[in-house]
Amino acid sequence: MIAGIDLGGTQVRVALAEDDGEIVHSDKTRTGLLKTPQAMVDWTAAAIHRRLGRKKLRAVAIGAPGPIDTTRGILSNPPNLPGWQNSPLERMLRDALGCPAHLENDANLAGVGEYHRGAGRGSRNMVYITWSTGVGGGLIVNGQLLSGSHGSAGEVGHMIIDPDGPLDGCGQRGCLEVFTGGRQMQAHTGESAAEIFAAAEEGDHEAKAIVDRAAYYMGLALINVTNLIDPDIIVIGGGVTRSWKLVAPTLEQVLRSSPFIRPERRPKIRRAALGDRAGQVGAVEWARLSL
């Protein structure tokens, strides 16, 4: 058996699967109830052992919000998990579960999940973008996850779209996330992204203009990643995809507007298929690939 863990700022999800990646059990709890990394590991171990029975756990993988140190297996400084800095999650899970443990960026593993089990199936080169409160991504190049030298490849949300743009929380100006992220939408309007998108769907012209602007900037990002990675498919997940019909036409239009990206190499844009299961599915796949 293998296990996959999706550690988020809101929820922790754990899945137990057969060696072929077929998930047979899944549990979740609110991250806020666990308080500390050790409490998360203890809950995870209890959830796995409760379902494992007499079978042996061969590997576990965990997807966590960055920044992380994949070389040492350490969760470095997650902004949405205060007090979890420099947590050696790989060692803690290995000690608790008695099997090899692997730590990766959560967006990377969501991309792995979509590549193997979701909207990216059949592709060779895929870009995954999660578009919600923030913007993240994962890159699959020639069938392999591209983590980069420091585990930080795929940070599409911090591509600079406008060097004279607003200051982002990362310290750069004009990042994609400043123009498209739900957190920034709320900061500028006083309404949550969900409220803005709902109003746009109901025909509110001001809300529709905000959504269109965000989709336009995301479309520019799709041009950039297409020119950089040359993917077959770009898969977009995250909360914004609940309003897919609002954003998809603009994404397609902006991508088509590039004269450099000829139709024969223009990637397909697909809505993610796994929803909020992508992280745990990807973690299971990452554990399976480690065997």
Side-chain angles (χ1 to χ4, degrees):
M1 303 289 285
I2 53 178
I5 306 163
D6 180 22
L7 171 62
T10 303
Q11 290 188 330
V12 180
R13 300 170 184 268
V14 58
L16 192 63
E18 301 289 351
D19 289 353
D20 64 358
E22 189 66 28
I23 294 176
V24 292
H25 296 293
S26 181
D27 288 287
K28 65 180 179 180
T29 190
R30 294 187 63 81
T31 310
L33 297 176
L34 301 177
K35 306 296 184 185
T36 66
Q38 188 60 58
M40 184 276 296
V41 170
D42 292 343
W43 176 84
T44 298
I48 290 172
H49 286 137
R50 186 167 57 247
R51 301 289 192 178
L52 194 60
R54 296 186 178 184
K55 294 183 178 179
K56 181 181 178 180
L57 190 66
R58 300 180 64 197
V60 60
I62 180 169
I68 60 177
D69 183 340
T70 54
T71 303
R72 297 190 297 156
I74 291 175
L75 180 61
S76 302
N77 188 27
N80 294 323
L81 294 170
W84 290 52
Q85 294 89 344
N86 298 316
S87 301
L89 293 186
E90 276 191 9
R91 178 183 59 76
M92 295 169 72
L93 286 167
R94 184 171 64 246
D95 291 347
L97 294 169
C99 69
H102 308 277
L103 172 67
E104 249 299 347
N105 176 272
D106 54 354
N108 280 352
L109 292 194
V112 169
E114 289 289 345
Y115 178 76
H116 286 281
R117 304 272 176 172
R121 284 179 295 180
S123 65
R124 186 66 179 167
N125 296 286
M126 186 198 87
V127 172
Y128 172 77
I129 296 175
T130 176
W131 183 8
S132 191
T133 304
V135 178
L139 310 176
I140 306 293
V141 178
N142 292 325
Q144 303 292 321
L145 175 67
L146 179 63
S147 294
S149 299
H150 307 93
S152 57
E155 289 285 1
V156 296
H158 298 292
M159 291 190 299
I160 295 175
I161 301 297
D162 179 1
D164 297 318
L167 184 67
D168 186 27
C170 73
Q172 299 181 147
R173 285 195 174 275
C175 289
L176 174 65
E177 191 169 287
V178 170
F179 296 107
T180 61
R183 186 183 296 110
Q184 283 74 16
M185 286 186 188
Q186 183 168 3
H188 291 131
T189 66
E191 297 182 321
S192 71
E195 291 171 327
I196 294 169
F197 276 87
E201 289 176 348
E202 292 172 2
D204 184 286
H205 293 294
E206 184 177 353
K208 182 67 163 53
I210 293 171
V211 170
D212 287 345
R213 180 173 181 267
Y216 168 75
Y217 281 110
M218 183 58 74
L220 295 181
L222 300 191
I223 291 175
N224 289 336
V225 298
T226 297
N227 286 328
L228 184 65
I229 303 298
D230 190 23
D232 312 304
I233 294 173
I234 298 174
V235 176
I236 299 180
V240 169
T241 59
R242 298 188 188 100
S243 301
W244 186 245
K245 291 181 180 179
L246 275 181
V247 299
T250 301
L251 299 179
E252 295 277 4
Q253 180 181 3
V254 176
L255 184 58
R256 286 197 304 270
S257 73
S258 168
F260 185 66
I261 302 173
R262 300 292 185 183
E264 59 270 18
R265 77 176 187 94
R266 189 182 301 141
K268 298 180 178 65
I269 302 175
R270 291 183 179 171
R271 182 184 187 182
L274 299 177
D276 57 12
R277 297 176 56 246
Q280 62 180 338
V281 172
V284 164
E285 288 298 313
W286 198 239
R288 186 178 68 84
L289 292 169
S290 74
L291 296 176

